[in-house]
Amino acid sequence: MDIGVVFQCDPPAREVVSLAKRAEAAGFSHVWTFDSHLLWQEPFVIYSQILAETERVMVGPMVTNPGTRDWTVTASLFATLNEMYGNRTVCGIGRGDSALRTLGYPPTTIGELRDCVTVIRELAHGRTVSYRGREVSFPWVSGGALEMWVAAYGPRALALAGEVGDGYILQLADPDIAAWMIGAVRRAAERAGRDPAAIRFCVAAPAYVGDDLAHQRDQCRWFGGMVGNHVADIVARYGTAGAGSGSGAAGSGAGSGAVPRALTDYIAGRRGYDYAEHGRAGNTHTDFVPDEIVDRFCLLGPVSAHLEKLAALRELGVDQFAVYLQHDDKAGTLAAYGESVIPALGGTAPPAGAPEAPAPRSGVVDVPATAG
């Protein structure tokens, strides 16, 4: 299992670069960042510096979206970084949340996300794509590669991840819910005629190593609020009826509904969301999140507790756990993972360069002229 890390692009940007260098030295395989330009600094500028000062880590957004940049611009950013630093980028992408909502826009549609994944991947590989009624390509790309990892909670987005994603990102670390979500992605891949084993699975969640559980919960409670904000959209669309029959005392929900009941039940006390505090420890709008949810969604406690949950996730087929590092002991958690967790999992930093690119596909890939 690979271990990645997720940073916010808070100023000073040099500190993000410094943390990325420490992560690589500790054996982390991936360095991800948020991508929300009104809340944090521009990640692609920071990626260039991270790549220049490291040798192995893969970098990319967790997650970008189809709405804040033209798709060809996003593809060019990735392709340029890959040309400079040897195919060391990965694109996490979703419908869009904070980056769009802070502009007053709703998340993009599933159809737009599907088309965007195709356009960015094809262009970054140096292939031709039909975009807005015009055939476009990057003539300067040679040997390009870029994996597109789709973040999803809802049924249509999960299906999309299985149908077109190179990877799937689940932003919570509860093994029961992860099993439900991963199963949905795999079934979608099978229906689409794809090999489910070809899809990589990433679970991302806050991790905090230590013995003071009460303090760790308070520092990571923001995550339950962030997940609840995403789930609220799904509940608004599909409702809660039939969202899973429940499993055990915790009611993980493995039924046939839109999402597991464990995700829909706890947001009953949610009263709204303040993007000014998005992803911030100690924010003021997540008091509805109970300790049980924090414990289930995050990795807390001593190293042994982290290893136990990571082993359970690995058994489900999770290829990477990405540590959300938004709390008051970033250095301690980075060090603990480097010294105790990564070696115990047998993880090592990946060799320089991305995985081998998929075989080129012939012909022009068409995207509707109305997309984007």
Side-chain angles (χ1 to χ4, degrees), residues 204-222:
Y208 196 133
V209 178
D211 297 319
D212 188 347
L213 277 176
H215 178 72
Q216 293 177 35
R217 287 168 179 150
D218 286 344
Q219 285 288 300
C220 297
R221 201 173 305 276
W222 66 267

Side-chain angles (χ1 to χ4, degrees), residues 42-109:
E42 171 56 43
F44 284 93
V45 176
I46 298 173
Y47 295 158
S48 187
Q49 196 64 35
I50 291 173
L51 290 164
E53 298 192 22
T54 58
E55 297 179 355
R56 298 178 305 276
V57 290
M58 302 287 290
V59 304
M62 189 177 284
V63 293
T64 193
N65 67 86
T68 52
R69 303 178 186 87
D70 185 88
W71 305 348
T72 61
V73 172
T74 301
S76 182
L77 289 166
F78 281 110
T80 301
L81 291 172
N82 284 339
E83 188 278 326
M84 293 175 70
Y85 301 108
N87 291 338
R88 288 174 53 203
T89 66
V90 57
C91 181
I93 191 166
R95 291 177 57 211
D97 179 44
S98 62
L100 293 177
R101 293 191 192 276
T102 54
L103 291 171
Y105 299 137
T108 59
T109 67

Side-chain angles (χ1 to χ4, degrees), residues 27-292:
F28 286 77
S29 62
H30 290 65
V31 172
W32 306 86
T33 75
F34 288 32
D35 179 17
S36 191
H37 60 286
L38 292 185
L39 300 178
W40 299 288
Q41 293 179 314
E42 171 56 43
F44 284 93
V45 176
I46 298 173
Y47 295 158
S48 187
Q49 196 64 35
I50 291 173
L51 290 164
E53 298 192 22
T54 58
E55 297 179 355
R56 298 178 305 276
V57 290
M58 302 287 290
V59 304
M62 189 177 284
V63 293
T64 193
N65 67 86
T68 52
R69 303 178 186 87
D70 185 88
W71 305 348
T72 61
V73 172
T74 301
S76 182
L77 289 166
F78 281 110
T80 301
L81 291 172
N82 284 339
E83 188 278 326
M84 293 175 70
Y85 301 108
N87 291 338
R88 288 174 53 203
T89 66
V90 57
C91 181
I93 191 166
R95 291 177 57 211
D97 179 44
S98 62
L100 293 177
R101 293 191 192 276
T102 54
L103 291 171
Y105 299 137
T108 59
T109 67
I110 292 294
E112 287 171 328
L113 177 57
R114 179 187 299 275
D115 292 342
C116 182
V117 167
T118 298
V119 167
I120 292 174
R121 180 166 50 207
E122 295 301 300
L123 289 176
H125 278 81
R127 299 191 280 260
T128 299
V129 64
S130 181
Y131 177 60
R132 299 183 184 272
R134 181 186 298 270
E135 292 184 11
V136 296
S137 64
F138 297 150
W140 46 270
V141 172
S142 176
L146 182 67
E147 291 187 350
M148 303 293 293
W149 294 23
V150 178
Y153 294 108
R156 295 179 63 214
L158 289 168
L160 175 67
E163 291 161 1
V164 302
D166 299 300
Y168 165 57
I169 296 171
L170 172 61
Q171 292 166 313
L172 58 84
D174 178 83
D176 289 335
I177 297 175
W180 194 96
M181 299 288 189
I182 289 171
V185 173
R186 285 174 170 158
R187 289 189 295 273
E190 290 175 347
R191 290 193 300 269
R194 301 183 69 201
D195 179 4
I199 300 173
R200 301 188 68 193
F201 293 98
C202 174
V203 163
Y208 196 133
V209 178
D211 297 319
D212 188 347
L213 277 176
H215 178 72
Q216 293 177 35
R217 287 168 179 150
D218 286 344
Q219 285 288 300
C220 297
R221 201 173 305 276
W222 66 267
F223 186 67
M226 186 187 82
V227 172
N229 191 52
H230 295 307
V231 173
D233 282 345
I234 300 170
V235 171
R237 176 179 293 269
Y238 298 100
T240 58
S245 59
S247 175
S252 63
S256 59
V259 290
R261 171 167 277 170
L263 280 176
T264 62
D265 285 356
Y266 88 94
I267 67 169
R270 178 180 176 273
R271 295 184 296 277
Y273 195 80
D274 183 357
Y275 282 99
E277 296 183 321
H278 185 57
R280 303 289 186 186
N283 61 33
T284 60
H285 59 276
T286 58
D287 56 354
F288 72 94
V289 181
D291 288 350
E292 177 198 2

